[in-house]
Amino acid sequence: SPDTSIAFINYIDSDSVFWSSSLGPNGLGAQATHAFTVTEVTKNYDGFSALRVKGNFSGWIYNASGDSLEVSSADFFSRAWAF
């Protein structure tokens, strides 16, 4: 069966513009032109989440005006409650 998990990348640039893969033409739906690779998952003990996740992302991100940026092999760091 297809993977129905939802994940997205948020980014704030040096001009404080918010960009996100979730703002694209498909909203929170599947984005055919992106890829996530998770490289590390570790337990987190800071009280904000159960896990720390590291990986990289390639694909498109969008701002509220509909502008887009192509991202290639960007590293990401995140927190998660479950994986």
Side-chain angles (χ1 to χ4, degrees):
S1 70
D3 184 359
T4 58
S5 300
I6 294 176
F8 52 90
I9 295 294
N10 293 332
Y11 169 69
I12 299 174
D13 68 18
S14 61
D15 294 322
S16 298
V17 176
F18 177 76
W19 298 83
S20 178
S21 60
S22 70
L23 296 176
N26 293 333
L28 293 175
Q31 301 284 331
T33 59
H34 79 232
F36 289 87
T37 302
V38 174
T39 59
E40 184 178 335
V41 178
T42 57
K43 289 186 178 182
N44 189 29
Y45 301 102
D46 68 3
F48 293 106
S49 65
L51 303 170
R52 289 182 294 192
V53 180
K54 293 182 182 180
N56 77 34
F57 168 79
S58 293
W60 292 89
I61 55 175
Y62 308 87
N63 66 17
S65 298
D67 300 320
S68 60
L69 291 173
E70 185 175 14
V71 177
S72 180
S73 298
D75 292 331
F76 69 84
F77 306 92
S78 183
R79 292 184 165 121
W81 285 106
F83 204 88

